[in-house]
Amino acid sequence: MIIDLLKESNALLEGHFLLSSGKHSDRYVQCAKLLQYPDRAAEAISFIVEKVKDLDIDIVVGPAMGGIIVAYELGRQLGKPAIFTEREEGEMKLKRGFNIEKGQKVLITEDVVTTGKSAYEAIRVVEEYGGVVVGIACIVDRSKGDIKYPVYGGTKLEIKTYDIEGCPLCKEGLPIVKPGSRKIK
Ligand SMILES: [Zn+2]
């Protein structure tokens, strides 16, 4: 189970977290903590492979940073090339001589899909090259069913977020942690 792999890797934390959006949550997922272990990364991504192995895919494309390792490992397991898009002055692009041929079927990868913002940015690039997006593959699917492309998630995860005023954890007086930093506010 991906949830177990996340927990073993301390990639899924429970507590009281301050998110970059300013909202509070009771859980926090950081897939990079799982992906630092290549054997766990391979196992987690094998769950995605089960869902996408029958799709017609020519190439796997992940937006940097979150999508790169997932693209690489998914490409390795599917026997397909894996490339990535990256931002240049804020704009998502294909660099390094990477190319997508017109009509190529593309699977987008992400570590976590929530609103799909960076996946959509990568999709725009793929479609500019004439590629055909067949879906978005991710380790953790946090989307609410409103993504305009099929989402192939290794696992579904619902994380509740709260505004400060309505946060039950604040009311309990639980100390808040900013994920990724060691300091506790
Ligand atoms: Zn709170």
Side-chain angles (χ1 to χ4, degrees):
M1 290 286 287
I2 288 184
I3 290 289
D4 298 324
L5 292 166
L6 288 168
K7 285 182 179 167
E8 281 167 30
S9 314
N10 284 324
L12 180 62
L13 303 176
E14 293 180 359
H16 185 196
F17 303 100
L18 175 62
L19 308 177
S20 52
S21 62
K23 293 197 177 206
H24 294 187
S25 74
D26 60 354
R27 286 193 291 174
Y28 184 76
V29 63
Q30 176 49 274
C31 278
K33 297 263 285 189
L34 185 162
L35 296 172
Q36 72 180 309
Y37 305 107
D39 54 340
R40 289 182 190 165
E43 194 182 341
I45 286 160
S46 72
F47 290 98
I48 308 174
V49 169
E50 278 307 304
K51 297 188 177 178
V52 302
K53 65 183 180 196
D54 295 328
L55 297 177
D56 189 5
I57 299 164
D58 296 312
I59 191 165
V60 182
V61 177
M65 293 289 299
I68 295 180
I69 296 174
V70 182
Y72 172 84
E73 179 58 26
L74 198 55
R76 192 184 71 80
Q77 294 191 27
L78 291 170
K80 304 290 178 187
I83 61 174
F84 55 89
T85 61
E86 60 198 301
R87 285 199 179 84
E88 188 177 63
E89 290 167 4
E91 199 192 339
M92 200 67 99
K93 286 181 176 173
L94 266 189
K95 295 173 70 177
R96 301 166 200 270
F98 288 151
N99 188 35
I100 295 165
E101 306 282 342
K102 202 166 188 298
Q104 270 196 315
K105 301 195 178 60
V106 178
L107 182 65
I108 303 289
T109 61
E110 263 290 15
D111 51 359
V112 181
V113 169
T114 308
T115 62
K117 186 175 175 285
S118 54
Y120 282 130
E121 288 179 74
I123 287 168
R124 184 188 50 74
V125 174
V126 167
E127 292 180 343
E128 274 171 12
Y129 278 80
V132 179
V133 173
V134 299
I136 304 167
C138 57
I139 296 177
V140 176
D141 177 8
R142 290 185 54 199
S143 68
K144 296 189 171 68
D146 54 358
I147 306 284
K148 290 186 223 115
Y149 295 80
V151 177
Y152 302 98
T155 190
K156 270 226 154 234
L157 194 64
E158 201 183 312
I159 297 182
K160 289 198 182 79
T161 58
Y162 308 101
D163 292 321
I164 300 168
E165 300 80 41
C167 178
L169 306 160
C170 281
K171 285 199 186 82
E172 284 172 36
L174 227 69
I176 193 159
V177 175
K178 197 172 174 194
S181 87
R182 290 184 192 173
K183 288 203 182 104
I184 293 172
K185 244 188 173 175

